[in-house]
Amino acid sequence: MEFVDLVVIARKIYRIKRQEAKNAIENSYEDEFFNLLFEQLNNKKLYVDSNIFMAEPNKAIDRFFNEFTAYDNIKITMPAEQYEEIYNLKKSDEQSSSKAARDAFRRIEKLVDSKYIDILGLKDMPDDSSSYADPIFIKMITEDLKNEKPVYFITEDKDLKIRLKSKIESEQLNENNIVICSFDTLYNDKYNIVDEERKRIKKGKEMDEFFAELQTDSLKYKVLMKVTSFLIK
């Protein structure tokens, strides 16, 4: 084998190894991000807007819906009006809306089968009327807050966010009991979110180590010597 051939092979191996390392880093951020997200969802009333269910299939949104099976105590609450809203879009003449609604029903069916969604008040027959979920979300979420239930609401709808926040403020409800967020924004910021959590954990460990060392005679002696040195100056 010629030297040039060896160089070419070495470069290919280097690129493969570098890509593998990059993928490992990316996967670690993905895993930690979803762990952190689902920790936040724990023990909260979770609402997921139709635009999340109808999002175009991709790695992030698919993992979000698949991740529920790893947690026994996290469920999505869906009002019947939201279900009918998506159902009516499935019959739309607009191909993109119809496809998005079919994608949503695949996700909903999987959640129903695994018992990770509660569809409230769903009738035996489809409702052909023009169902609109936004005011129902606002009504249900404000009722939850009045009853001191912590709520997590995931939506990409900026108008709905504004209307909901305005309602919460006008009724002087506890804003600390609700998180309103965009999945896309959270996911796109996953590196910062994970890095901040890593820093928090590292700082906590350092504090624990400090207080553990503080219990030892050697550190007590060092602290005493510093205090003594300061006092005799």
Side-chain angles (χ1 to χ4, degrees), residues 130-189:
S130 180
S131 296
Y132 188 50
D134 287 10
I136 306 301
F137 278 130
I138 293 172
K139 179 181 177 182
M140 292 178 68
I141 290 171
T142 51
E143 284 299 317
D144 288 333
L145 294 177
K146 286 176 184 177
N147 293 323
E148 296 296 323
K149 293 180 181 177
V151 175
Y152 205 106
F153 183 39
I154 305 175
T155 179
E156 305 298 341
D157 189 337
K158 289 182 173 59
D159 173 65
L160 177 53
K161 288 179 187 176
I162 293 168
R163 293 178 189 275
L164 178 56
K165 290 174 182 177
S166 177
K167 183 72 171 178
I168 291 169
E169 184 177 355
S170 68
E171 298 207 8
Q172 298 182 331
L173 300 173
N174 186 359
E175 296 179 2
N176 295 324
N177 257 1
I178 184 168
V179 176
I180 306 170
C181 67
S182 153
F183 178 80
D184 284 347
T185 300
L186 280 178
Y187 185 77
N188 291 334
D189 198 37

Side-chain angles (χ1 to χ4, degrees), residues 115-127:
K115 304 189 187 310
Y116 286 100
I117 189 169
D118 287 328
I119 306 176
L120 307 180
L122 187 63
K123 298 176 182 178
D124 294 339
M125 293 293 292
D127 187 350

Side-chain angles (χ1 to χ4, degrees), residues 49-60:
D49 201 0
S50 302
N51 46 59
I52 307 296
F53 279 104
M54 296 173 64
E56 187 173 341
N58 60 67
K59 178 183 175 183

Side-chain angles (χ1 to χ4, degrees), residues 22-35:
K22 186 178 179 181
N23 290 344
I25 292 171
E26 174 69 18
N27 290 338
S28 71
Y29 273 97
E30 288 270 328
D31 292 343
E32 289 184 53
F33 167 75
F34 280 103
N35 285 338

Side-chain angles (χ1 to χ4, degrees), residues 53-57 86 89-107:
F53 279 104
M54 296 173 64
E56 187 173 341
I86 298 172
L89 286 170
K90 190 177 73 168
K91 301 183 294 179
S92 171
D93 294 332
E94 189 177 334
Q95 189 174 359
S96 60
S97 296
S98 177
K99 180 186 178 302
R102 290 195 300 274
D103 289 336
F105 275 112
R106 278 192 287 271
R107 290 163 179 154

Side-chain angles (χ1 to χ4, degrees), residues 76-80 83 108 112 117-122:
I76 297 172
T77 297
M78 172 180 277
Y83 185 94
I108 293 167
V112 168
I117 189 169
D118 287 328
I119 306 176
L120 307 180
L122 187 63

